Amino acid sequence: MGRVEKRKKKKRGRWWKILLLLVLVIGGATLAYGFSVYSGAKQTVNKEMHEQVSSIDVTQTKAKIDKKEPLNILLMGVDERDGDVGRSDALMVMTVDPENERSQLISIPRDTRTEMVGNDPQSGNLDKINHAYAFGGTDMAVQTVENFLDIELDYYAKVNMEGLADMVDALGGITVTNDFQWSRAGFNFPEGELTLNGEETMQFVRMRKQDPKGDLGRNGRQREAIQGIMEKGANIGAVNKIGDIMNVLGSNVKTNMDFETMRNLALNYSDARKSMTTYQMSGTGTKIGGIYYLQIPEQEVNDVHKMITDYNS
């Protein structure tokens, strides 16, 4: 099995990852600026960020929120550039359980070989899980992850990784921890705590070939950068930058949550952050037809299925 790590609540509380990026404006920023900011945030979320998928029935999911039942949320970091449909370079399933005051975040390696599921000619084929987004967009990514883990997803949040640079610059830079010294594209990254601007952050999250852990190491840096954004964004000193932050969110984030859903999550699911477990799925690398894949053992998939369903029971 992969590596499990449990973190109790800390002063700097690293937990909601991408989702907190979405609800940031609903908490401190809304209280600080009142109705005008509230109204502006609502308009940005509902008109620019909100995007439904046919595979998720939000009527049922909203009923779960009303009852404060556990939720499964697919978090996607998508690398979308001009002229490229993009792929989901980061895939995580987050489960939040407010009644038992716990949450967990499970990372799925992007090279995982699995069946493609959705309304696309590639459906039924075995391919890398991150190709599902390239073939059939968010809807196919959702259905493929649901099929892979035999679970039901309630919401998704998709962040264009190209927007990370703008977000970091809007916040005035972020702080991350780097595990070892390396250089890329003219930028040097010494070991230890680093303060990065937007372009430095993009190089930080894209490096893979120099990392002995390969994609797993890059996934860790992506999470580190997102955590850095969360910590900087939660700082009260950042609320005066809310206009810039909302512009970046509107351009780079899509989710099937509307504004009221985010508000309800922020208000009613806060107890889920008191205890968090993170997990990285693991497997064996192999080449099939000259293409590299990660083969996840059936037992590992079953174990992760149980981890998620135990949170939902």
Side-chain angles (χ1 to χ4, degrees):
M1 292 178 61
R3 185 168 64 90
V4 176
E5 179 182 358
K6 189 170 185 178
R7 300 179 181 177
K8 290 296 183 181
K9 183 180 179 183
K10 298 181 180 179
K11 183 178 180 181
R12 298 176 71 187
R14 299 179 172 187
W15 68 291
W16 277 77
K17 309 289 191 284
I18 296 174
L19 187 59
L20 269 184
L21 189 61
L22 308 181
V23 301
L24 169 66
V25 298
I26 301 166
T30 300
L31 294 176
Y33 281 85
F35 178 77
S36 62
V37 169
Y38 180 97
S39 179
K42 183 175 181 178
Q43 180 171 337
T44 298
V45 172
N46 289 342
K47 292 189 176 181
E48 298 182 41
M49 294 163 54
H50 189 243
E51 185 176 86
Q52 294 284 27
V53 290
S54 61
S55 52
I56 296 178
D57 184 352
V58 293
T59 302
Q60 293 183 1
T61 57
K62 286 184 178 181
K64 286 185 179 181
I65 293 178
D66 291 340
K67 299 176 183 177
K68 294 186 69 173
E69 294 180 356
L71 298 173
N72 296 324
I73 303 168
L74 178 64
L75 307 178
M76 294 189 292
V78 177
D79 194 0
E80 288 183 314
R81 309 178 193 185
D82 291 340
D84 185 3
V85 68
R87 291 175 175 81
S88 50
D89 276 352
L91 276 174
M92 294 170 274
V93 175
M94 180 171 65
T95 304
V96 290
D97 178 9
E99 181 178 354
N100 293 299
E101 300 181 344
R102 60 181 182 170
S103 58
Q104 69 178 0
L105 189 71
I106 295 173
S107 295
I108 306 172
R110 67 174 197 160
D111 291 327
T112 298
R113 191 167 188 258
T114 190
E115 180 184 354
M116 300 291 100
V117 179
N119 185 23
D120 184 89
Q122 296 295 330
S123 183
N125 293 341
L126 294 175
D127 210 321
K128 296 183 179 183
I129 197 165
N130 73 320
H131 286 181
Y133 181 80
F135 294 146
T138 301
D139 208 24
M140 192 165 186
V142 167
Q143 293 179 76
T144 297
V145 170
E146 287 184 328
N147 182 71
F148 174 56
L149 295 176
D150 190 21
I151 61 170
E152 184 177 278
L153 292 167
D154 299 300
Y155 290 103
Y156 83 89
K158 178 184 72 174
V159 177
N160 184 6
M161 301 301 282
E162 285 289 295
L164 279 182
D166 293 335
M167 174 59 69
V168 171
D169 286 336
L171 290 170
I174 63 171
T175 299
V176 299
T177 300
N178 186 39
D179 291 339
F180 62 96
Q181 191 279 329
W182 52 277
S183 299
R184 187 177 192 271
F187 294 94
N188 295 316
F189 297 88
E191 181 180 353
E193 188 172 272
L194 307 176
T195 299
L196 307 179
N197 62 24
E199 181 56 34
E200 290 168 337
T201 300
M202 291 306 299
Q203 299 300 329
F204 183 75
V205 301
R206 281 180 172 164
M207 192 277 281
R208 174 176 59 91
K209 293 183 178 179
Q210 299 179 60
D211 195 318
K213 297 180 181 179
D215 280 331
L216 297 184
R218 178 166 62 177
N219 288 347
R221 281 186 296 280
Q222 289 172 344
R223 291 193 296 268
E224 184 75 20
I226 292 169
Q227 289 168 349
I229 290 172
M230 293 302 89
E231 291 170 358
K232 188 64 175 285
N235 189 310
I236 191 63
V239 298
N240 61 350
K241 302 174 182 179
I242 193 63
D244 291 340
I245 293 172
M246 286 308 302
N247 288 336
V248 174
L249 289 176
S251 300
N252 294 285
V253 175
K254 295 295 182 183
T255 178
N256 60 336
M257 302 178 203
D258 57 20
F259 184 82
E260 287 305 314
T261 296
M262 293 184 194
R263 182 175 178 273
N264 287 339
L265 285 174
L267 293 174
N268 299 321
Y269 278 68
S270 59
D271 288 344
R273 63 183 165 184
K274 292 184 178 180
S275 178
M276 179 183 180
T277 299
T278 63
Y279 188 83
Q280 173 74 57
M281 295 190 73
S282 61
T284 302
T286 186
K287 282 194 173 182
I288 300 175
I291 300 174
Y292 175 85
Y293 295 95
L294 190 71
Q295 298 273 39
I296 306 291
E298 183 177 354
Q299 185 60 53
E300 171 80 335
V301 176
N302 291 339
D303 288 342
V304 169
H305 166 81
K306 188 174 186 302
M307 289 170 62
I308 295 173
T309 55
D310 282 351
Y311 263 66
N312 285 274
S313 60

